[in-house]
Amino acid sequence: MGFKKEIYLQLVQEMQQKHVTMVAVSKTKPTAEMQEAYDAGVRDFGENYVQELTEKQALLPTDIRWHFIGHLQTNKVKYIAPFVHLIHGVDSEKLLIEINKQGKKLNRKINCLLQIYIAKEETKFGMNETELRTTLNLLPKLDYVNVCGLMGMASFTDNDQLIASEFSYLYDLFKNLHNELQISNPPFQYLSMGMSSDYPIAIDAGSNMIRIGSLLFGERKYQ
Ligand SMILES: *Cc1c(COP(=O)(O)O)cnc(C)c1O
């Protein structure tokens, strides 16, 4: 039980060599275990629920970089806008516009990743390529968001080849946009893909940001 420090230290060293950022996904885990993780060196934490995130943020050290990785509702953006480091799951134009609005109120540029739908499942969120293009066309008008990359989740399956092909598709899209958007500032640079079960496949496919929960904190128990 508790934070798995040995696994973390091994994994973080490997990720540093590969220039991959590791986000420790702490959803449903108590702040005591997160403090253990912090003491071991973790500074990037990922959470899925707005209320849980704001409660934990108030209790934990102020130099933590908070990643919001869940499905964000527009009416909840305002609660995390003042401090969130990176919002991974921006899956609609409407949501990006709301984030920009909240950023403007705070005079703060908010970092975002656009979530792309890559899985063969109806349950996952994300934009398709057409929606992505329309959203990118809005960027010159949105002064309070930094779109700094893409995020995606592969199908929940044992078929490693399917997972690899979904990740490769996202990597190609990321690479093309990276070339197109060279001039944007700050650079379009993050590709967030890979979790405990599929991060080696994601890294092979070109991921530079992984979101690891159960491997670091153990299985989650939902009420
Ligand atoms: C929960 C979650 C993770 C972490 O999942 P693990 O399998 O526990 O590593 C990563 N990304 C997202 C979007 C999640 O919701």
Side-chain angles (χ1 to χ4, degrees):
M1 279 289 103
F3 178 66
K4 300 184 178 5
K5 186 174 172 180
E6 294 306 315
I7 294 179
Y8 167 70
L9 292 176
Q10 236 176 323
L11 209 51
V12 80
Q13 199 186 1
E14 189 189 333
M15 292 310 133
Q16 271 163 8
Q17 281 162 1
K18 295 182 169 168
H19 304 285
V20 171
T21 302
M22 176 162 61
V23 177
V25 176
S26 46
K27 62 183 177 217
T28 78
K29 298 296 172 182
T31 49
E33 285 182 29
M34 294 171 68
Q35 184 66 52
E36 282 175 44
Y38 179 90
D39 293 339
V42 176
R43 291 298 177 272
D44 291 277
F45 286 92
E47 290 282 342
N48 287 53
Y49 308 101
V50 168
Q51 192 182 344
E52 184 177 350
L53 171 54
T54 53
E55 284 171 8
K56 287 175 167 178
Q57 191 260 347
L59 297 171
L60 287 162
T62 54
D63 63 340
I64 287 175
R65 294 182 289 269
W66 293 99
H67 297 247
F68 190 82
I69 63 169
H71 180 63
L72 184 56
Q73 291 169 299
T74 47
N75 61 344
K76 298 216 169 138
V77 173
K78 57 177 177 283
Y79 301 115
I80 64 170
F83 65 86
V84 71
H85 174 68
L86 180 61
I87 301 176
H88 289 232
V90 179
D91 60 356
S92 73
E93 205 179 290
K94 185 173 151 234
L95 179 58
L96 193 68
I97 290 170
E98 174 63 19
I99 296 169
N100 185 71
K101 185 176 147 197
Q102 296 301 329
K104 187 173 183 179
K105 278 191 194 165
L106 298 158
N107 192 27
R108 174 171 197 254
K109 257 194 177 218
I110 300 174
N111 298 321
C112 298
L113 303 179
L114 301 179
Q115 184 171 358
I116 309 302
Y117 181 86
I118 57 172
K120 311 271 173 296
E121 290 166 18
E122 288 302 317
T123 52
K124 299 254 157 71
F125 295 102
M127 305 180 189
N128 61 32
E129 257 186 88
T130 318
E131 291 161 334
L132 171 66
R133 287 287 166 192
T134 5
T135 306
L136 289 174
N137 286 338
L138 285 179
L139 289 187
K141 289 192 202 141
L142 304 178
D143 291 331
Y144 294 90
V145 291
N146 278 327
V147 172
C148 34
L150 302 179
M151 181 263 207
M153 290 173 83
S155 296
F156 184 71
T157 171
D158 289 334
N159 183 343
D160 286 359
Q161 251 169 327
L162 177 62
I163 296 173
S165 75
E166 291 170 358
F167 283 151
S168 297
Y169 164 79
L170 187 55
Y171 175 76
D172 289 341
L173 193 58
F174 171 74
K175 223 31 207 182
N176 290 338
L177 288 177
H178 183 267
N179 293 337
E180 280 175 42
L181 300 171
Q182 282 287 12
I183 35 154
S184 52
N185 188 25
F188 189 85
Q189 60 183 330
Y190 294 115
L191 179 56
S192 168
M193 56 182 200
M195 13 209 283
S196 294
S197 59
D198 58 18
Y199 78 90
I201 307 175
I203 292 172
D204 281 346
S207 168
N208 60 21
M209 189 175 268
I210 58 174
R211 310 174 309 270
I212 305 294
S214 41
L215 211 54
L216 296 177
F217 291 101
E219 292 300 321
R220 287 175 294 274
K221 288 190 206 75
Y222 289 97
Q223 296 86 342

